[in-house]
Coordinates of all heavy atoms in Angstrom, one line a residue:
M150 N 87.0 114.8 112.3 CA 86.2 114.1 111.2 C 86.7 114.7 109.9 O 87.1 115.8 109.8 CB 84.7 114.4 111.4 CG 84.1 113.8 112.7 SD 84.1 112.0 112.7 CE 82.5 111.8 111.9
Q151 N 86.6 113.9 108.9 CA 86.9 114.4 107.5 C 85.9 113.7 106.6 O 85.2 112.8 106.9 CB 88.3 114.0 107.1 CG 88.6 112.5 107.3 CD 89.9 112.1 106.7 OE1 90.4 112.7 105.8 NE2 90.5 111.0 107.2
M152 N 85.8 114.3 105.4 CA 84.9 113.7 104.4 C 85.7 112.9 103.4 O 86.8 113.3 103.1 CB 84.2 114.9 103.6 CG 83.3 115.8 104.5 SD 82.0 114.9 105.4 CE 80.9 114.5 104.1
T153 N 85.1 111.8 103.0 CA 85.8 111.0 102.1 C 84.8 110.4 101.1 O 83.6 110.5 101.4 CB 86.5 109.8 102.8 OG1 87.3 109.1 101.8 CG2 85.6 108.8 103.4
E154 N 85.2 110.0 99.9 CA 84.3 109.5 98.9 C 83.6 108.2 99.5 O 84.2 107.4 100.1 CB 85.0 109.1 97.6 CG 85.4 110.4 96.9 CD 85.9 110.0 95.5 OE1 86.0 108.8 95.1 OE2 86.1 111.0 94.7
C155 N 82.3 108.1 99.2 CA 81.6 107.0 99.7 C 82.1 105.7 98.9 O 81.9 105.7 97.7 CB 80.1 107.2 99.5 SG 79.1 105.8 99.9
A156 N 82.5 104.7 99.6 CA 83.1 103.5 98.9 C 81.9 102.7 98.4 O 82.0 102.1 97.3 CB 83.9 102.7 99.9
F157 N 80.8 102.6 99.1 CA 79.7 101.7 98.8 C 79.2 102.0 97.4 O 78.9 101.1 96.6 CB 78.6 101.8 99.8 CG 77.6 100.8 99.7 CD1 77.9 99.5 99.9 CD2 76.2 101.1 99.5 CE1 76.9 98.5 99.8 CE2 75.2 100.2 99.4 CZ 75.6 98.8 99.6
C158 N 79.0 103.3 97.1 CA 78.4 103.7 95.8 C 79.4 104.2 94.9 O 79.1 104.7 93.8 CB 77.3 104.7 96.0 SG 77.9 106.2 96.7
D159 N 80.7 104.2 95.2 CA 81.8 104.8 94.4 C 81.6 106.2 94.2 O 81.8 106.8 93.1 CB 81.8 104.0 93.0 CG 83.1 103.3 92.9 OD1 84.1 103.7 93.5 OD2 83.2 102.3 92.1
A160 N 81.0 106.9 95.2 CA 80.8 108.3 95.2 C 79.7 108.7 94.1 O 79.6 109.9 93.8 CB 82.1 109.1 94.9
M161 N 78.9 107.8 93.7 CA 77.9 108.0 92.7 C 76.6 108.5 93.4 O 75.7 109.1 92.7 CB 77.6 106.8 91.8 CG 78.7 106.3 91.0 SD 79.3 107.5 89.7 CE 77.9 107.3 88.6
G162 N 76.4 108.1 94.6 CA 75.2 108.5 95.3 C 74.0 107.6 95.1 O 72.9 107.9 95.6
L163 N 74.2 106.6 94.3 CA 73.1 105.6 94.1 C 73.4 104.3 94.6 O 74.6 103.9 94.7 CB 72.9 105.5 92.6 CG 72.4 106.8 91.9 CD1 72.4 106.6 90.3 CD2 71.0 107.2 92.3
D164 N 72.4 103.5 95.0 CA 72.6 102.2 95.5 C 73.2 101.3 94.5 O 72.7 101.1 93.4 CB 71.2 101.6 96.0 CG 71.4 100.3 96.7 OD1 71.9 99.4 96.2 OD2 71.1 100.3 97.9
P165 N 74.4 100.7 94.8 CA 75.1 99.9 93.8 C 74.4 98.7 93.4 O 74.6 98.1 92.3 CB 76.5 99.6 94.5 CG 76.2 99.8 96.0 CD 75.1 100.8 96.1
F166 N 73.5 98.2 94.2 CA 72.7 97.0 93.9 C 71.3 97.3 93.4 O 70.5 96.4 93.2 CB 72.7 96.1 95.1 CG 74.0 95.7 95.7 CD1 74.4 96.0 97.0 CD2 74.9 95.0 94.9 CE1 75.6 95.7 97.5 CE2 76.2 94.7 95.3 CZ 76.5 95.0 96.6
K167 N 71.1 98.6 93.2 CA 69.8 99.0 92.6 C 68.6 98.5 93.5 O 67.6 98.0 92.9 CB 69.6 98.6 91.2 CG 70.8 99.2 90.3 CD 70.6 98.8 88.9 CE 71.5 99.5 87.9 NZ 72.9 99.4 88.2
I168 N 68.8 98.5 94.8 CA 67.7 98.1 95.7 C 67.1 99.3 96.4 O 67.8 100.0 97.0 CB 68.3 97.1 96.7 CG1 68.8 95.8 96.0 CG2 67.2 96.7 97.7 CD1 69.6 94.9 96.9
P169 N 65.8 99.4 96.4 CA 64.9 98.6 95.6 C 64.7 99.0 94.1 O 64.0 98.3 93.4 CB 63.5 98.8 96.4 CG 63.7 100.2 96.9 CD 65.1 100.4 97.2
S170 N 65.3 100.1 93.7 CA 65.2 100.5 92.3 C 66.5 101.2 91.9 O 67.3 101.5 92.7 CB 64.0 101.5 92.1 OG 64.5 102.8 92.3
P171 N 66.7 101.3 90.5 CA 67.9 101.9 90.0 C 68.1 103.3 90.5 O 69.2 103.8 90.4 CB 67.8 101.8 88.5 CG 66.7 100.7 88.3 CD 65.8 100.8 89.4
F172 N 67.1 103.9 91.0 CA 67.2 105.3 91.4 C 67.3 105.5 92.9 O 67.2 106.6 93.4 CB 66.0 106.1 90.8 CG 65.8 105.9 89.4 CD1 64.7 105.1 88.9 CD2 66.6 106.5 88.5 CE1 64.5 104.9 87.5 CE2 66.5 106.3 87.1 CZ 65.4 105.5 86.6
S173 N 67.4 104.3 93.5 CA 67.5 104.4 95.0 C 68.8 105.1 95.4 O 69.8 104.9 94.9 CB 67.5 103.0 95.6 OG 66.3 102.3 95.2
K174 N 68.7 105.9 96.4 CA 69.8 106.6 96.9 C 70.7 105.6 97.7 O 70.2 104.7 98.3 CB 69.4 107.8 97.8 CG 69.1 109.0 97.1 CD 68.8 110.1 98.0 CE 68.4 111.4 97.2 NZ 67.9 112.5 98.1
C175 N 72.0 105.9 97.6 CA 72.9 105.1 98.4 C 72.5 105.2 99.9 O 72.4 106.3 100.4 CB 74.3 105.6 98.2 SG 75.5 104.9 99.3
Q176 N 72.4 104.1 100.6 CA 72.0 104.1 102.0 C 73.1 104.5 102.9 O 72.9 104.8 104.1 CB 71.4 102.8 102.4 CG 72.5 101.7 102.2 CD 71.9 100.3 102.3 OE1 71.4 99.9 103.4 NE2 71.9 99.5 101.3
V177 N 74.3 104.6 102.4 CA 75.5 104.9 103.2 C 75.7 106.4 103.3 O 75.9 107.0 104.3 CB 76.7 104.2 102.7 CG1 78.0 104.6 103.6 CG2 76.6 102.7 102.8
C178 N 75.6 107.0 102.1 CA 75.9 108.5 102.1 C 74.6 109.3 101.8 O 74.7 110.5 101.7 CB 76.9 108.8 101.0 SG 76.4 108.3 99.3
W179 N 73.5 108.6 101.7 CA 72.2 109.2 101.4 C 72.3 110.1 100.1 O 71.6 111.1 100.1 CB 71.7 110.0 102.6 CG 71.6 109.1 103.8 CD1 72.3 109.1 104.9 CD2 70.6 108.1 104.0 NE1 71.9 108.1 105.8 CE2 70.8 107.5 105.2 CE3 69.5 107.7 103.2 CZ2 70.0 106.5 105.7 CZ3 68.8 106.6 103.7 CH2 69.0 106.0 104.9
G180 N 73.0 109.6 99.2 CA 73.0 110.3 97.9 C 74.0 111.4 97.7 O 74.2 112.0 96.7
R181 N 74.7 111.7 98.8 CA 75.7 112.8 98.8 C 77.0 112.4 98.0 O 77.7 113.3 97.5 CB 76.0 113.2 100.2 CG 74.9 114.0 100.9 CD 75.4 114.7 102.1 NE 76.0 113.7 103.0 CZ 75.4 113.2 104.1 NH1 74.1 113.5 104.3 NH2 76.0 112.3 104.9
G182 N 77.3 111.1 98.1 CA 78.6 110.7 97.5 C 79.8 110.8 98.4 O 80.8 110.3 98.0
T183 N 79.6 111.4 99.5 CA 80.7 111.5 100.5 C 80.2 111.1 101.9 O 79.0 111.3 102.2 CB 81.3 112.9 100.6 OG1 80.2 113.9 100.8 CG2 82.0 113.3 99.3
V184 N 81.1 110.6 102.7 CA 80.7 110.3 104.0 C 81.8 110.9 105.0 O 82.9 111.1 104.6 CB 80.7 108.7 104.2 CG1 79.4 108.1 103.5 CG2 81.9 108.1 103.7
S185 N 81.3 111.1 106.2 CA 82.3 111.6 107.2 C 82.9 110.4 107.9 O 82.2 109.5 108.3 CB 81.6 112.5 108.2 OG 80.6 111.9 108.8
V186 N 84.2 110.5 108.1 CA 84.9 109.4 108.8 C 85.9 110.1 109.8 O 86.1 111.3 109.7 CB 85.8 108.5 107.8 CG1 84.8 107.8 106.9 CG2 86.8 109.3 107.0
A187 N 86.4 109.3 110.7 CA 87.4 109.8 111.7 C 88.6 110.3 111.0 O 88.9 109.9 109.8 CB 87.7 108.7 112.7
D188 N 89.4 111.1 111.6 CA 90.6 111.7 111.1 C 91.6 110.6 110.7 O 92.3 110.7 109.6 CB 91.3 112.6 112.0 CG 90.5 113.9 112.1 OD1 89.9 114.3 111.1 OD2 90.5 114.5 113.2
K189 N 91.7 109.6 111.5 CA 92.6 108.5 111.2 C 91.9 107.2 111.0 O 91.2 106.7 111.9 CB 93.6 108.3 112.4 CG 94.7 109.4 112.4 CD 95.8 109.1 113.4 CE 96.8 110.2 113.4 NZ 97.8 110.0 114.5
T190 N 92.0 106.7 109.8 CA 91.3 105.5 109.5 C 92.3 104.5 108.8 O 93.3 104.9 108.3 CB 90.1 105.7 108.5 OG1 90.6 106.4 107.4 CG2 89.1 106.6 109.2
I191 N 91.9 103.3 108.7 CA 92.6 102.3 108.0 C 91.6 101.6 107.0 O 90.4 101.6 107.3 CB 93.2 101.2 108.9 CG1 92.2 100.6 109.8 CG2 94.5 101.8 109.6 CD1 92.8 99.4 110.6
M192 N 92.1 101.1 105.9 CA 91.2 100.4 105.0 C 90.5 99.2 105.6 O 91.2 98.5 106.4 CB 92.0 99.9 103.7 CG 91.1 99.4 102.6 SD 92.0 98.6 101.3 CE 92.3 97.0 102.1
C193 N 89.3 99.0 105.4 CA 88.6 97.9 105.9 C 89.0 96.6 105.2 O 88.8 96.5 104.0 CB 87.1 98.1 105.7 SG 86.1 96.7 106.3
V194 N 89.7 95.7 105.9 CA 90.1 94.5 105.3 C 89.0 93.5 105.0 O 89.1 92.7 104.1 CB 91.2 93.8 106.1 CG1 92.5 94.6 106.2 CG2 90.7 93.4 107.5
Y195 N 87.9 93.6 105.7 CA 86.8 92.7 105.6 C 86.2 92.8 104.2 O 85.9 91.8 103.5 CB 85.8 92.9 106.6 CG 84.7 91.9 106.7 CD1 85.0 90.6 107.2 CD2 83.4 92.1 106.2 CE1 84.0 89.6 107.2 CE2 82.4 91.1 106.3 CZ 82.8 89.9 106.8 OH 81.8 88.9 106.8
C196 N 86.1 94.0 103.7 CA 85.5 94.2 102.3 C 86.5 94.7 101.3 O 86.2 94.9 100.2 CB 84.3 95.2 102.4 SG 84.9 96.9 102.9
G197 N 87.8 94.8 101.8 CA 88.8 95.2 100.9 C 88.7 96.7 100.5 O 89.1 97.1 99.4
G198 N 87.9 97.4 101.3 CA 87.8 98.9 101.0 C 86.6 99.2 100.1 O 86.4 100.3 99.7
S199 N 85.9 98.1 99.7 CA 84.8 98.4 98.7 C 83.5 98.9 99.4 O 82.6 99.4 98.7 CB 84.5 97.1 98.0 OG 83.8 96.2 98.8
G200 N 83.4 98.6 100.7 CA 82.2 99.0 101.4 C 81.1 98.0 101.3 O 80.0 98.2 101.9
K201 N 81.3 97.0 100.5 CA 80.2 96.0 100.2 C 80.5 94.7 101.0 O 81.7 94.3 101.1 CB 80.1 95.7 98.7 CG 79.8 96.9 97.9 CD 79.8 96.6 96.4 CE 79.7 97.9 95.6 NZ 80.9 98.7 95.7
H202 N 79.5 94.1 101.4 CA 79.6 92.8 102.0 C 80.2 91.8 101.0 O 79.8 91.7 99.9 CB 78.2 92.3 102.5 CG 78.3 91.2 103.5 ND1 78.7 89.9 103.1 CD2 78.0 91.1 104.8 CE1 78.6 89.1 104.1 NE2 78.2 89.8 105.2
P203 N 81.2 91.0 101.4 CA 81.8 90.1 100.5 C 80.9 89.0 99.9 O 81.1 88.5 98.8 CB 83.0 89.4 101.3 CG 83.2 90.3 102.5 CD 81.8 91.0 102.8
E204 N 79.9 88.7 100.7 CA 79.0 87.6 100.2 C 77.6 88.0 99.8 O 77.0 87.5 98.9 CB 78.8 86.5 101.3 CG 80.1 86.2 102.2 CD 81.0 85.3 101.4 OE1 80.5 84.6 100.6 OE2 82.2 85.2 101.8
L205 N 77.1 89.1 100.5 CA 75.8 89.5 100.3 C 75.7 90.8 99.6 O 76.6 91.6 99.6 CB 75.1 89.5 101.6 CG 75.2 88.2 102.5 CD1 74.7 88.5 103.9 CD2 74.4 87.1 101.8
R206 N 74.5 91.1 99.1 CA 74.3 92.5 98.5 C 73.9 93.5 99.6 O 72.8 94.0 99.6 CB 73.2 92.4 97.4 CG 73.7 91.4 96.3 CD 73.0 91.7 95.0 NE 71.5 91.6 95.1 CZ 70.7 92.0 94.2 NH1 71.2 92.5 93.1 NH2 69.4 91.8 94.3
L207 N 74.8 93.6 100.5 CA 74.6 94.5 101.7 C 75.8 95.4 101.9 O 76.8 95.1 101.3 CB 74.3 93.7 102.9 CG 73.1 92.8 102.9 CD1 73.1 91.8 104.1 CD2 71.8 93.7 103.0
T208 N 75.6 96.3 102.8 CA 76.8 97.1 103.2 C 77.7 96.2 104.0 O 77.2 95.3 104.7 CB 76.4 98.3 104.0 OG1 75.5 97.9 105.1 CG2 75.7 99.4 103.2
C209 N 79.0 96.5 104.0 CA 79.9 95.7 104.8 C 79.6 95.9 106.3 O 79.4 97.1 106.7 CB 81.3 96.3 104.5 SG 82.6 95.6 105.7
P210 N 79.5 94.9 107.1 CA 79.1 95.0 108.5 C 80.2 95.6 109.4 O 79.9 95.9 110.5 CB 78.7 93.5 108.9 CG 79.6 92.7 108.0 CD 79.7 93.5 106.6
V211 N 81.4 95.7 108.8 CA 82.5 96.2 109.6 C 82.6 97.7 109.5 O 82.7 98.4 110.5 CB 83.8 95.5 109.3 CG1 85.0 96.1 110.0 CG2 83.7 94.0 109.5
C212 N 82.6 98.2 108.3 CA 82.8 99.6 108.0 C 81.5 100.3 107.7 O 81.5 101.5 107.5 CB 83.8 99.8 106.9 SG 83.3 99.1 105.3
W213 N 80.4 99.6 107.6 CA 79.1 100.1 107.3 C 79.1 100.8 105.9 O 78.4 101.8 105.8 CB 78.6 101.0 108.4 CG 78.5 100.3 109.7 CD1 79.3 100.5 110.8 CD2 77.6 99.3 110.0 NE1 78.9 99.6 111.8 CE2 77.9 98.8 111.3 CE3 76.5 98.6 109.3 CZ2 77.2 97.8 112.0 CZ3 75.8 97.6 110.0 CH2 76.2 97.2 111.3
G214 N 79.9 100.3 105.0 CA 79.8 100.9 103.7 C 80.8 102.0 103.4 O 80.9 102.4 102.2
K215 N 81.6 102.4 104.4 CA 82.5 103.5 104.2 C 83.8 103.0 103.6 O 84.6 103.9 103.1 CB 82.7 104.2 105.5 CG 81.5 104.9 106.0 CD 81.7 105.6 107.3 CE 80.5 106.4 107.8 NZ 80.7 107.1 109.0
G216 N 84.1 101.8 103.7 CA 85.4 101.3 103.2 C 86.6 101.5 104.1 O 87.7 100.9 103.8
V217 N 86.4 102.2 105.1 CA 87.5 102.5 106.1 C 86.9 102.3 107.5 O 85.7 102.5 107.7 CB 88.1 103.9 105.9 CG1 88.9 104.0 104.6 CG2 87.1 105.0 106.0
V218 N 87.8 102.0 108.4 CA 87.4 101.9 109.8 C 88.3 102.7 110.7 O 89.4 103.1 110.3 CB 87.4 100.4 110.3 CG1 86.3 99.6 109.6 CG2 88.8 99.8 110.0
N219 N 87.8 103.1 111.8 CA 88.6 103.8 112.7 C 89.9 103.1 113.1 O 89.9 101.9 113.2 CB 87.9 104.1 114.1 CG 86.7 105.0 113.8 OD1 86.5 105.5 112.8 ND2 85.9 105.2 114.9
I220 N 91.0 103.8 113.2 CA 92.2 103.2 113.5 C 92.2 102.6 114.9 O 91.5 103.0 115.7 CB 93.4 104.2 113.3 CG1 94.7 103.5 113.1 CG2 93.4 105.1 114.5 CD1 95.8 104.4 112.5
V221 N 92.9 101.5 115.0 CA 93.0 100.8 116.3 C 94.1 101.5 117.1 O 95.1 101.9 116.6 CB 93.3 99.3 116.1 CG1 93.4 98.6 117.4 CG2 92.3 98.6 115.2
R222 N 93.8 101.6 118.4 CA 94.8 102.3 119.2 C 96.2 101.6 119.2 O 96.3 100.4 119.3 CB 94.3 102.4 120.7 CG 95.1 103.3 121.6 CD 94.2 103.9 122.6 NE 93.3 102.9 123.2 CZ 93.7 102.2 124.3 NH1 94.8 102.4 124.9 NH2 92.8 101.4 124.9
E223 N 97.2 102.3 119.0 CA 98.5 101.8 118.8 C 99.2 101.5 120.1 O 98.8 102.1 121.1 CB 99.4 102.7 117.9 CG 98.9 102.8 116.5 CD 99.6 103.7 115.6 OE1 99.9 104.8 116.1 OE2 100.0 103.3 114.5
P224 N 100.1 100.6 120.2 CA 100.6 99.7 119.1 C 99.6 98.6 118.8 O 98.9 98.2 119.6 CB 101.9 99.2 119.7 CG 101.6 99.1 121.2 CD 100.8 100.3 121.5
T225 N 99.7 98.3 117.5 CA 98.8 97.2 117.0 C 99.6 96.0 116.6 O 100.8 96.0 116.4 CB 98.0 97.7 115.8 OG1 98.9 98.0 114.8 CG2 97.1 98.9 116.2
M226 N 98.8 94.9 116.5 CA 99.4 93.7 116.0 C 98.4 93.0 115.1 O 97.2 93.3 115.2 CB 99.9 92.8 117.1 CG 98.8 92.3 118.0 SD 99.3 91.3 119.4 CE 99.1 89.7 118.7
I227 N 98.9 92.2 114.2 CA 97.9 91.4 113.3 C 97.1 90.5 114.3 O 97.6 89.9 115.2 CB 98.7 90.5 112.3 CG1 99.6 91.4 111.4 CG2 97.8 89.6 111.5 CD1 98.8 92.2 110.4
C228 N 95.8 90.5 114.0 CA 95.0 89.7 114.8 C 95.3 88.2 114.7 O 95.3 87.6 113.6 CB 93.5 89.9 114.4 SG 92.3 88.8 115.2
P229 N 95.7 87.5 115.8 CA 96.1 86.1 115.7 C 94.9 85.2 115.3 O 95.1 84.1 114.9 CB 96.6 85.8 117.1 CG 96.0 86.8 118.0 CD 95.7 88.0 117.1
E230 N 93.7 85.7 115.6 CA 92.5 84.8 115.3 C 92.2 84.6 113.9 O 92.0 83.5 113.4 CB 91.3 85.5 116.0 CG 90.1 84.6 116.2 CD 90.3 83.6 117.3 OE1 91.1 83.9 118.3 OE2 89.7 82.5 117.2
C231 N 92.3 85.7 113.1 CA 91.9 85.7 111.7 C 93.1 85.9 110.8 O 93.0 85.8 109.6 CB 90.9 86.7 111.4 SG 91.4 88.4 111.7
G232 N 94.3 86.1 111.4 CA 95.5 86.3 110.6 C 95.5 87.6 109.8 O 96.2 87.7 108.8
G233 N 94.7 88.5 110.2 CA 94.7 89.8 109.5 C 93.7 90.0 108.4 O 93.6 91.0 107.8
T234 N 92.9 88.9 108.2 CA 91.9 89.0 107.1 C 90.6 89.6 107.6 O 89.7 90.0 106.8 CB 91.5 87.6 106.6 OG1 90.9 86.8 107.7 CG2 92.7 86.8 106.1
G235 N 90.4 89.7 108.9 CA 89.1 90.2 109.4 C 88.0 89.3 109.4 O 86.9 89.6 109.9
R236 N 88.2 88.1 108.9 CA 87.1 87.1 108.8 C 87.4 85.9 109.7 O 88.5 85.4 109.7 CB 87.0 86.5 107.4 CG 86.6 87.5 106.3 CD 86.1 86.8 105.2 NE 86.1 87.6 104.0 CZ 85.6 87.2 102.8 NH1 85.0 86.0 102.8 NH2 85.6 87.9 101.8
A237 N 86.4 85.5 110.4 CA 86.5 84.3 111.2 C 86.7 83.2 110.3 O 86.1 83.1 109.2 CB 85.2 84.1 112.0
P238 N 87.7 82.3 110.6 CA 88.1 81.2 109.7 C 87.0 80.4 109.2 O 87.0 80.0 108.0 CB 89.1 80.4 110.5 CG 89.6 81.4 111.6 CD 88.5 82.3 111.9
E239 N 86.0 80.1 110.0 CA 85.0 79.1 109.5 C 83.7 79.8 109.1 O 83.1 79.5 108.0 CB 84.7 78.1 110.6 CG 85.7 77.0 110.5 CD 85.8 76.2 111.8 OE1 84.8 76.1 112.6 OE2 86.9 75.7 112.1
S240 N 83.2 80.8 109.9 CA 81.9 81.4 109.6 C 82.0 82.4 108.5 O 81.0 82.7 107.8 CB 81.3 82.0 110.8 OG 82.1 83.1 111.2
K241 N 83.2 83.0 108.2 CA 83.4 84.1 107.3 C 82.7 85.4 107.8 O 82.6 86.3 107.1 CB 82.9 83.7 105.9 CG 83.7 82.6 105.3 CD 83.8 82.8 103.8 CE 84.7 81.6 103.2 NZ 84.0 81.0 102.1
L242 N 82.2 85.3 109.0 CA 81.6 86.5 109.6 C 82.7 87.4 110.1 O 83.9 86.9 110.2 CB 80.7 86.2 110.7 CG 79.4 85.4 110.3 CD1 78.7 84.9 111.5 CD2 78.5 86.3 109.5
P243 N 82.5 88.6 110.4 CA 83.6 89.4 110.9 C 84.2 88.8 112.2 O 83.5 88.3 113.0 CB 82.9 90.8 111.3 CG 81.7 90.8 110.4 CD 81.3 89.4 110.2
C244 N 85.5 88.7 112.2 CA 86.2 88.1 113.3 C 85.8 88.8 114.6 O 85.8 90.0 114.7 CB 87.7 88.3 113.1 SG 88.7 87.8 114.4
L245 N 85.5 88.0 115.6 CA 85.1 88.5 116.9 C 86.2 89.2 117.6 O 86.0 90.2 118.4 CB 84.4 87.4 117.7 CG 83.1 86.9 117.2 CD1 82.6 85.7 118.1 CD2 82.1 88.0 117.2
R246 N 87.4 88.7 117.5 CA 88.5 89.2 118.2 C 88.8 90.6 117.8 O 89.1 91.5 118.7 CB 89.7 88.2 118.0 CG 91.0 88.6 118.7 CD 91.0 88.0 120.1 NE 92.2 88.3 120.9 CZ 93.3 87.6 120.9 NH1 93.3 86.4 120.2 NH2 94.3 87.9 121.6
C247 N 88.9 90.9 116.6 CA 89.3 92.2 116.1 C 88.1 93.0 115.5 O 88.3 94.1 115.1 CB 90.4 92.0 115.0 SG 89.8 91.1 113.6
G248 N 86.9 92.4 115.5 CA 85.8 93.1 115.0 C 85.8 93.3 113.5 O 85.1 94.1 112.9
G249 N 86.7 92.5 112.8 CA 86.7 92.6 111.4 C 87.8 93.5 110.9 O 88.0 93.7 109.7
K250 N 88.6 94.1 111.8 CA 89.6 95.1 111.3 C 90.9 94.4 111.0 O 91.7 95.0 110.3 CB 89.8 96.1 112.4 CG 88.6 97.0 112.7 CD 89.0 98.0 113.8 CE 87.8 98.9 114.0 NZ 88.1 100.0 115.0
G251 N 91.1 93.2 111.4 CA 92.3 92.5 111.1 C 93.5 92.8 112.0 O 94.5 92.1 112.0
V252 N 93.4 93.8 112.7 CA 94.4 94.2 113.7 C 93.8 94.5 115.1 O 92.6 94.9 115.2 CB 95.2 95.5 113.3 CG1 96.1 95.2 112.0 CG2 94.3 96.6 113.0
I253 N 94.6 94.3 116.1 CA 94.1 94.6 117.4 C 95.1 95.4 118.2 O 96.3 95.3 117.8 CB 93.8 93.3 118.2 CG1 95.0 92.4 118.2 CG2 92.6 92.5 117.6 CD1 94.9 91.1 119.1
G254 N 94.7 96.1 119.1 CA 95.7 96.8 120.0 C 96.4 95.9 120.9 O 95.8 94.9 121.4
V255 N 97.7 96.1 121.0 CA 98.4 95.2 121.9 C 98.2 95.7 123.4 O 98.4 96.8 123.7 CB 100.0 95.3 121.6 CG1 100.7 94.4 122.6 CG2 100.2 94.9 120.2
S256 N 97.6 94.8 124.1 CA 97.3 95.2 125.5 C 98.6 95.0 126.4 O 99.3 94.0 126.2 CB 96.2 94.3 126.1 OG 96.4 93.0 125.8
K257 N 98.8 95.9 127.3 CA 100.0 95.9 128.1 C 99.7 95.3 129.5 O 98.6 95.5 129.9 CB 100.6 97.3 128.2 CG 101.2 97.7 126.9 CD 101.7 99.1 127.1 CE 102.2 99.6 125.7 NZ 102.2 101.1 125.6
Ligands
ZN146 ZN1 77.2 106.3 98.9
ZN147 ZN1 84.2 97.1 105.1
ZN148 ZN1 90.6 89.0 113.8

């Protein structure tokens, strides 16, 4: 594990959407400004590393606000379902095939 800056609040420690108040602590890092992530991570393609849900004022459902996700076991390939965007083509929800990561492990 390692510590990284909280993507959701930009390491400010406050809720970026001021919910329920401007003084609300960031729900991802609980106001610390940093979050613990796995040693090897990749940027979350679903939210573009912002930690925020692309459509809603919520944490990204794929990385839970951290902006990064655990690396997929190698070798990997671009997810054929979403073309690497992490979004299901029609629903815009996280792609079920890759879980929103945009890449999948190549099964042997
Ligand atoms: Zn935070
Ligand atoms: Zn994300
Ligand atoms: Zn996918």
Side-chain angles (χ1 to χ4, degrees):
M150 297 292 270
Q151 57 171 331
M152 299 302 286
T153 186
E154 287 192 351
C155 176
F157 191 60
C158 65
D159 246 335
M161 297 296 286
L163 295 171
D164 189 296
F166 302 121
K167 302 180 170 54
I168 297 172
S170 89
F172 308 106
S173 299
K174 278 185 181 172
C175 171
Q176 58 189 296
V177 177
C178 61
W179 300 109
R181 289 193 302 263
T183 54
V184 288
S185 58
V186 296
D188 288 329
K189 287 189 175 170
T190 57
I191 51 174
M192 189 190 78
C193 175
V194 291
Y195 190 72
C196 65
S199 73
K201 300 174 188 72
H202 194 291
E204 322 279 340
L205 307 168
R206 300 202 301 170
L207 295 169
T208 51
C209 171
V211 175
C212 62
W213 302 109
K215 295 181 178 181
V217 293
V218 289
N219 293 356
I220 202 162
V221 178
R222 192 148 45 89
E223 292 179 314
T225 60
M226 60 181 266
I227 299 289
C228 173
E230 196 74 29
C231 63
T234 63
R236 296 199 200 190
E239 276 157 33
S240 65
K241 299 214 177 128
L242 294 170
C244 172
L245 291 176
R246 183 86 181 266
C247 60
K250 294 181 179 181
V252 290
I253 55 173
V255 179
S256 51
K257 288 178 188 156

